[in-house]
């Protein structure tokens, strides 16, 4: 079945006998048992809920995994993921990660005894030199947030398979519509469902997609024990959002290419980070492992004054955190998404006072360019 059809019809399991087209919202905390020792398959909504299960099955089909666990936020999903590891375990991680992930690893995971090597996985292809006896996984985000680094998933998977490590890939920026890390060798795929999967900036969600039953069962035990399950109503919002994932991603990507090309011609813009530009160092890898380039653009302007002017003068474009929705958003990573990353570390990656991130929506590209033009003038 084509992925565009999966987005709309997804899991065909019948949850309703009235003929309703929309999946029911089972807004129930608990479920009655038909008899002692018997179950309908649903006992308590922290463990499983029919609406959430329907959503999880859709995500599993989209990512072509073995199963999915849905969480209340993307960070709840990554927090649960880290419960797979114990004191003394070691992970190799990309050096450019979402600021919340960086904060979790730095403040919580390290406190809990987990050790990290931070590596530019888009450039350093010899990851074997970082592997220790205690190494358990490699965690990459590709394209990365916010500098759009692209890591070769297949190449990293060859290393993890050889050394019996888990490969974890945050696939938020491209969504399963444009990239499927499990098909490239990943063991676990991470999503902030808040972003492209939801697509409307109206709910929070997170997902972990497992490639095997063994990993899936471990994640389900962690989920029901730690308790950050996605609610039935939020599950329904995600089901609704995913129905338009394909047409949203196509339009957003189309707009992003037009805007990236325009930004490249602006005298006040020093550098454009968009993986769909042929000059991007990850362009060829992206062509090989993805079905498109997505709609995330970062760019550096001439000075801090210009950056602040742009943020304060945009009208159609909204100055806000988050990404992936139908509305175009502009973000100032140094003050927002990456404010907790130490300044020296942040600036070494180019995330400075002149660096901006644009999540391109589905508006008219001409209108978006006019807004950027007047804000830069």
């Amino acid at each position: 079945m084509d992925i565009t059809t999966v987005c709309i019809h997804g899991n065909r399991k019948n949850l309703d006998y009235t003929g309703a087209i929309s999946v029911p919202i089972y807004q129930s905390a608990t479920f009655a048992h038909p008899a002692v020792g018997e179950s309908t398959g649903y006992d308590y909504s922290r463990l499983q809920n029919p609406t959430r299960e329907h959503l999880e099955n859709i995500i599993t089909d989209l990512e072509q995994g073995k199963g999915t666990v849905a969480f209340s936020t993307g960070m709840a999903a990554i927090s649960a993921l880290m419960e797979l590891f114990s004191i003394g375990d070691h992970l190799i991680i990309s050096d450019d990660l979402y600021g919340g992930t960086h904060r979790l690893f730095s403040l919580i995971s390290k406190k809990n005894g987990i050790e990290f090597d931070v590596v530019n996985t888009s450039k350093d292809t010899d990851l074997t030199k970082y592997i220790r006896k205690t190494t358990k996984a490699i965690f990459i985000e590709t394209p990365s947030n916010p500098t759009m680094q692209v890591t070769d998933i297949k190449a990293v998977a060859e290393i993890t398979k050889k050394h019996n490590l888990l490969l974890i890939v945050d696939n938020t920026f491209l969504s399963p519509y444009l990239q499927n890390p499990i098909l490239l060798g990943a063991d676990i795929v991470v999503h902030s469902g808040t972003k492209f999967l939801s697509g409307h900036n109206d709910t929070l969600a997170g997902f972990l997609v497992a490639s095997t039953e063994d990993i899936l069962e471990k994640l389900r035990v962690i989920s029901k024990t730690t308790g950050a399950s996605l609610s039935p109503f939020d599950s329904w919002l995600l089901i609704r959002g995913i129905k338009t994932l394909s047409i949203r991603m196509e339009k957003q990507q189309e707009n992003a290419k037009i805007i990236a090309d325009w930004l490249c011609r602006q005298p006040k813009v020093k550098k454009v980070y968009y993986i769909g530009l042929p000059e991007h160092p990850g362009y060829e890898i992206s062509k090989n492992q993805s079905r498109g380039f997505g709609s995330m653009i970062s760019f550096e302007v001439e000075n801090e004054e210009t950056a602040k002017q742009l943020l304060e003068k945009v009208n159609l474009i909204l100055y806000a955190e988050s990404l992936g929705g139908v509305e175009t958003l502009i973000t100032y990573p140094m003050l927002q998404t990456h404010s907790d990353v130490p300044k020296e570390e942040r600036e070494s990656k180019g995330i400075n006072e002149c660096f901006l991130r644009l999540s391109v929506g589905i508006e008219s590209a001409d209108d978006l360019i006019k807004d950027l033009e007047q804000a830069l003038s």
Side-chain angles (χ1 to χ4, degrees):
M1 192 182 295
D2 187 86
I3 193 168
T4 58
T5 306
V6 175
C7 287
I8 296 169
H9 294 284
N11 172 36
R12 299 306 298 272
K13 181 179 177 181
N14 189 6
L15 293 177
D16 177 83
Y17 299 95
T18 67
I21 298 298
S22 180
V23 173
I25 303 171
Y26 285 88
Q27 194 64 47
S28 181
T30 190
F31 301 85
H33 294 273
V36 175
E38 294 183 16
S39 170
T40 62
Y42 306 100
D43 302 316
Y44 191 64
S45 274
R46 174 163 46 80
L47 281 66
Q48 191 51 288
N49 175 280
T51 312
R52 185 169 72 242
E53 181 182 57
H54 188 89
L55 169 63
E56 290 173 342
N57 289 339
I58 292 171
I59 299 295
T60 299
D61 287 347
L62 289 173
E63 280 290 10
Q64 301 187 53
K66 186 60 68 174
T68 299
V69 184
F71 296 86
S72 56
T73 69
M75 287 312 304
I78 299 175
S79 296
L81 169 72
M82 296 309 291
E83 295 299 328
L84 289 172
F85 308 108
S86 304
I87 294 173
D89 284 350
H90 170 252
L91 276 71
I92 300 166
I93 62 173
S94 296
D95 69 341
D96 186 41
L97 298 172
Y98 165 58
T101 306
H102 180 281
R103 182 171 57 243
L104 173 73
F105 291 171
S106 298
L107 299 183
I108 306 298
S109 300
K110 284 186 178 179
K111 171 184 70 67
N112 292 340
I114 298 172
E115 300 176 350
F116 298 92
D117 265 319
V118 181
V119 181
N120 185 333
T121 55
S122 70
K123 291 183 178 179
D124 196 337
T125 55
D126 184 18
L127 298 180
T128 56
K129 63 189 176 187
Y130 302 101
I131 296 174
R132 313 175 190 173
K133 290 182 179 179
T134 55
T135 304
K136 302 297 181 184
I138 298 178
F139 184 110
I140 63 176
E141 186 178 290
T142 183
S144 68
N145 184 359
T147 64
M148 311 299 162
Q149 294 177 11
V150 175
T151 298
D152 188 329
I153 300 173
K154 272 188 178 179
V156 179
E158 289 177 8
I159 295 170
T160 56
K161 295 292 186 287
K162 182 178 179 180
H163 294 272
N164 196 29
L165 308 176
L166 289 175
L167 174 55
I168 304 159
V169 180
D170 189 325
N171 194 32
T172 298
F173 266 24
L174 288 184
S175 88
Y177 181 70
L178 294 178
Q179 182 170 266
N180 297 120
I182 286 174
L183 298 184
L184 299 167
D187 298 291
I188 300 172
V189 175
V190 178
H191 281 284
S192 172
T194 310
K195 312 305 192 294
F196 289 101
L197 289 168
S198 167
H200 292 81
N201 291 317
D202 57 7
T203 190
L204 303 176
F207 300 100
L208 297 176
V209 188
S211 64
T212 68
E213 286 286 355
D214 178 58
I215 296 171
L216 178 64
E217 182 55 30
K218 290 176 182 178
L219 294 175
R220 289 212 178 280
V221 170
I222 292 168
S223 174
K224 76 176 183 180
T225 304
T226 56
S229 305
L230 190 63
S231 75
F233 182 65
D234 288 326
S235 296
W236 182 84
L237 285 173
L238 265 293
I239 293 168
R240 183 180 66 167
I242 289 169
K243 288 181 185 293
T244 59
L245 176 65
S246 61
I247 57 174
R248 286 188 285 105
M249 293 298 294
E250 291 289 351
K251 177 60 175 175
Q252 287 171 279
Q253 179 173 248
E254 177 188 320
N255 281 351
K257 181 64 168 67
I258 294 169
I259 292 169
D261 287 339
W262 180 84
L263 286 169
C264 287
R265 300 192 299 270
Q266 303 314 301
K268 292 185 178 181
V269 176
K270 292 171 59 179
K271 186 173 183 180
V272 178
Y273 303 75
Y274 179 59
I275 65 170
L277 294 172
E279 59 267 30
H280 188 284
Y283 180 76
E284 291 299 328
I285 295 173
S286 294
K287 283 175 62 178
N288 289 332
Q289 69 185 18
S290 309
R291 293 180 291 275
F293 303 109
S295 62
M296 297 302 301
I297 304 170
S298 290
F299 60 101
E300 186 179 348
V301 293
E302 58 184 354
N303 53 46
E304 183 178 0
E305 182 182 351
T306 299
K308 290 182 176 179
Q309 172 189 312
L310 196 155
L311 291 167
E312 293 172 0
K313 286 185 66 178
V314 286
N315 295 315
L316 180 63
I317 297 168
L318 303 171
Y319 172 26
E321 290 196 43
S322 201
L323 57 99
V326 293
E327 304 91 354
T328 298
L329 304 180
I330 191 165
T331 301
Y332 204 18
M334 64 161 284
L335 291 183
Q336 294 176 292
T337 56
H338 290 69
S339 60
D340 288 331
V341 178
K343 182 179 180 181
E344 184 177 338
E345 185 177 341
R346 172 169 48 76
E347 291 188 344
S348 70
K349 301 180 181 68
I351 308 170
N352 54 32
E353 292 81 0
C354 304
F355 186 92
L356 300 164
R357 191 190 72 187
L358 194 67
S359 172
V360 181
I362 66 171
E363 306 95 336
S364 160
D366 287 342
D367 288 337
L368 293 172
I369 287 173
K370 287 176 184 176
D371 194 29
L372 289 168
E373 193 170 34
Q374 65 81 25
L376 281 169
S377 62

